[in-house]
Amino acid sequence: MWTLTRILCRLRWRYMWSTSWKRRIGVIAMFAMSIMFAIWLSILMYFGLRAASPESESALFRRECLVAGAFIIYVGWIYFGSFNDLYDPQKLATYPIPPRRLFTCACASSILGAAPIFIIAMVAGTTAAMEGGIIIKIVRGLFIVALAMHLIMLGRLVRLVFLQILTSRRWREFSGLLGMLMSGVIWVAMASGSRLQSSETSQEIIRWIHGIAADGDLSIWTCWIPATWWAWAFNMEGALAPVGAFLFVLSSILIARAGGWSEEKIAFSEPVFAYAPKKTAPGAPRRRFLRGWPSGFLKFFGGDIAAVVKKEFCVLARDPLVRMRFMSTFFMIIVMGVIPILSPRRSMSAGSFPLGGILVFAQIAFLFNLFGTDGLSIRALFISPMDRGRMLVAKSLAYVFLFIPFNLSVILVIGLFSKRADLAEEMGYHICYFLITLSAGHIFSIYFPTRLVQVGKRVQRDSDVHPIYRALTGIFALLTTGIAAAPVILGRYVVSPFFDTKGEIIIFIISTGYALLLYSVSLKIAGLLLARREDKLLAFFSQNN
Amino acid sequence: MDSAIFVRNLTKRFKDKVAVDNVTFQVGYGEFFGFLGPNGAGKTTTIKILCGLMKADSGEAHVAGLNVLDDPLAVKAKIGVLPDVIDTFDRLTGNELAVMSGLLYGLKEDEAARRAGVLFELMDLKREDREKLVIDYSLGMRKKVGLACALIHGPKVLFLDEPFNGIDPVATAAVQRVLQNLVARGVTIFFTSHVLEVVEKLCTRVGIIQNGGLLACGTIAEVAQSAGMAPGSTLSDVFNKIFGAQAGEGRDLDWVAGLPPAIEKETAIPPVAVPRADDGAGAGIAAERPEV
């Protein structure tokens, strides 16, 4: 057991620190953020528990506050990350390691990471705030360590289950959809937040929560969640404390068992991402993409461009991961479309809600990642003698075909619904924003490529590039695009109001010209860059897929 | 059980597809057994089941005297596996990976490091290459490191899935040398390959599988006989006879033409003179270029 934990710790250290400077930057940033967040958590726990101390409220109220706090930590820990890097158990499948031991040791190896920072923060905040002698404080500190261990195990179990699910196309899409729905609910709740603040509702909600806590309803409603059992035990009062401790330990044992089982299942599972065409009757006509006028339109650009556009559509329609991202993009658009309706200041939503810009933002993952959507097929693309500029035009056209009709329809429908006065202007400027983002995307796709998982490969978290480094480059890309779009935004919102309709049309024409110029310049630059960086792009996608 | 590998009525299905269909065979200790078949025949699935990496639907499978289906962990401790696609911890160096493998098999670190050094020397993996990350390795180097990981604990049975796939002749020769050495020491080797010349050279017996079912099993002469061929036939001839190499016959790539059709004989590139090792003047013609 100890040897395996030591090996996994060494492996974890190697992956976390000794791979590349990009990953190191990400690791340092993650630790810095973790420490800041942990300090905040510690202070929050201190003041939260002081506020719920027996001097100010009843014992029942304090217990219910503990239940609520434990619930938030429990759900937050699982939803926002388990602090446990997942190594694909299949890589260890050939070794004689019992799956349950692998699960336990993998969880124990999480000691190298952000988890201890949070444990220390929680222990510090809690023990400082809670009354009682030194023994009580030590016992409560141990309870927090136990909760963290329980959460590390549960986090890994969730990841393993997801890894198992994600090796199945159908489950993968379902889990993607589920994730989107959860994000959507959070999004809509955030959008509704401003309404709540401005009304009596928020005060009513606070009074309602207070009533629940004072009546002990929270314990009744959440009595099936281990977080509640832990809170009862931690409270160390009454008959509920031993019951809570027993149930919490039992649930931890069950999680450890299920973890071992999952390790075994995932080690045996097969990668099944590969596209399986639908069975069609013999002699049935072949399904073709882009029939009718789009196909005729594409012929105008030439056979090579038409071929790449059709290839993009095939990838988008057939690769489950791309399809999921594509669906999530549209879901995001729909959710964003709701904001103007939910917004308390309807006049703002009707007049100047920047829907066109936000729609482009929702699709930016595709526009900034022209070569990453289908991973290794870039090799086939680069082997071809096709002019690189035309290749980029083809990629642009694919996204124009895909997004512009939909986006314009969304703007039109929401604009009509919210009686927007500048509907035509919004639609026109949306195309400008789209072109500018595409231009920026040409450069960023070459310099900051990101990848999706290649078809036939399992999801892994061992990339050289840390997610935080990727986030930093993403922020840089967004800022630069914002600077590129600034003249158009300024022209529309700052200069246009000083002119009449004719002047506004001229400003729009200038903006469109600027966007087209930017696009053609970016094509030229990207063509030159590609000639220099093609080998680097190929190496990146080969290594990371 | 006297066999290193004993398989009886082994069956594995993936939904409608039968990957391994009622397969029965056995491999003795110290044998070099080649498991052959076209792509998708069921070779890798069989190997995975025998290595405890996949569960069979029915049948029996014993490796090194242990039941794989009942106790895969015990089997894993006694075998070495070199998968077709080496999906491993590629952010470790070759040396670190081999030592880690040794530790996972229960060796002491010093002993694992010693064995890793010997294995790498045997496989001609240069000292500086051992300290490179596996992700930067060529396919041949990955195979060598994979083989080192599979051998570090001294397995009784070795399973190799396409060990010569995509590696150069020098690496092939080095790996062959190691494998022959192992067989001489009594290790059983079960391997799949599409390089029939190598199979013919190395294997004492072969099994041929198609659509999940075992078509023939025995020495090359026995397999040739069962395919209705003369005793001296090569394995390649037997393979082509069984699976038919006539696909696409009579079709022509009429749009492909390397040279203009009416090229004059004189304009063809003349033979290249290459100096021979034994004459300093370079007057000899090493190879004649075929006439167009």
Side-chain angles (χ1 to χ4, degrees), chain A residues 182-225:
Chain A
M182 286 166 80
S183 311
V185 168
I186 292 170
W187 192 275
V188 172
M190 281 163 65
S192 314
S194 56
R195 275 194 120 172
L196 287 177
Q197 273 177 7
S198 62
S199 70
E200 280 290 310
T201 321
S202 57
Q203 298 302 318
E204 283 170 22
I205 289 171
I206 290 166
R207 276 197 292 276
W208 176 66
I209 291 169
H210 198 274
I212 289 169
D215 296 339
D217 286 350
L218 203 60
S219 276
I220 295 166
W221 289 356
T222 59
C223 66
W224 50 278
I225 298 170

Side-chain angles (χ1 to χ4, degrees), chain A residues 9 20-21 69 88 94 115 150 159 249 290 314 357 385 409 414 501:
Chain A
C9 279
S20 70
W21 63 269
D88 189 341
T94 53
H150 175 103
R159 286 250 176 99
V249 171
L290 293 180
C314 291
S409 312
I414 292 175
T501 314

Side-chain angles (χ1 to χ4, degrees), chain A residues 324-341:
Chain A
M324 193 203 85
R325 269 188 94 154
F326 189 64
M327 284 194 301
S328 67
T329 306
F330 282 119
F331 187 79
M332 204 167 157
I333 290 165
I334 292 161
V335 169
M336 281 174 175
V338 176
I339 296 173
I341 301 156

Side-chain angles (χ1 to χ4, degrees), chain B residues 137-220:
Chain B
Y137 277 13
S138 65
L139 188 58
M141 283 156 81
R142 282 174 90 98
K143 292 261 178 188
K144 284 178 181 177
V145 171
L147 193 57
C149 293
L151 288 174
I152 200 152
H153 60 300
K156 290 189 188 312
V157 183
L158 193 60
F159 289 92
L160 312 169
D161 196 0
E162 307 281 1
F164 304 112
N165 192 7
I167 64 172
D168 64 54
V170 179
T172 304
V175 172
Q176 276 184 37
R177 219 171 32 243
V178 174
L179 298 181
Q180 281 171 323
N181 190 4
L182 290 170
V183 172
R185 287 175 157 273
V187 175
T188 307
I189 298 181
F190 184 98
F191 91 128
T192 70
S193 180
H194 290 301
V195 190
L196 298 178
E197 291 76 18
V198 174
V199 177
E200 203 161 2
K201 185 178 160 192
L202 297 175
C203 291
T204 42
R205 286 198 316 135
V206 294
I208 298 180
I209 188 170
Q210 188 190 21
N211 294 331
L214 196 66
L215 293 183
C217 188
T219 61
I220 293 168

Side-chain angles (χ1 to χ4, degrees), chain A residues 48-54 56-68 206-207 209-216 218 235 237:
Chain A
L49 287 167
R50 294 293 282 190
S53 66
S56 59
E57 297 286 350
S58 69
L60 181 66
F61 180 78
R62 188 179 62 162
R63 191 193 73 199
E64 294 303 286
C65 284
L66 279 172
V67 169
I206 290 166
R207 276 197 292 276
I209 291 169
H210 198 274
I212 289 169
D215 296 339
L218 203 60
N235 194 33
E237 275 181 16

Side-chain angles (χ1 to χ4, degrees), chain A residues 328-392:
Chain A
S328 67
T329 306
F330 282 119
F331 187 79
M332 204 167 157
I333 290 165
I334 292 161
V335 169
M336 281 174 175
V338 176
I339 296 173
I341 301 156
L342 285 173
S343 175
R345 290 187 293 147
R346 290 295 294 270
S347 57
M348 187 277 282
S349 66
S352 58
F353 189 77
L355 193 58
I358 287 172
L359 287 173
V360 175
F361 180 75
Q363 291 147 358
I364 219 158
F366 283 95
L367 305 182
F368 274 8
N369 195 22
L370 293 177
F371 300 110
T373 48
D374 51 355
L376 276 182
S377 79
I378 190 175
R379 190 175 289 166
L381 213 55
F382 282 169
I383 284 171
S384 79
M386 187 179 182
D387 178 79
R388 295 333 189 209
R390 288 176 67 78
M391 193 183 282
L392 291 167

Side-chain angles (χ1 to χ4, degrees), chain A residues 48-88:
Chain A
L49 287 167
R50 294 293 282 190
S53 66
E55 294 87 43
S56 59
E57 297 286 350
S58 69
L60 181 66
F61 180 78
R62 188 179 62 162
R63 191 193 73 199
E64 294 303 286
C65 284
L66 279 172
V67 169
F71 181 81
I72 291 165
I73 289 170
Y74 203 85
V75 175
W77 190 300
I78 294 164
Y79 191 79
F80 292 106
S82 63
F83 309 113
N84 184 331
D85 250 338
L86 179 66
Y87 299 117
D88 189 341

Side-chain angles (χ1 to χ4, degrees), chain A residues 15-16 22-27 29-30 33 85 159 450-451 460-475:
Chain A
Y15 270 69
M16 203 162 62
K22 287 177 184 174
R23 194 155 178 90
R24 281 183 200 173
I25 290 172
V27 168
M30 185 198 74
M33 288 194 312
D85 250 338
R159 286 250 176 99
T450 50
R451 52 130 190 178
Q460 286 173 24
R461 298 189 67 228
D462 57 4
S463 166
D464 263 348
V465 184
H466 195 279
I468 291 179
Y469 176 85
R470 198 169 287 152
L472 289 174
T473 54
I475 290 166

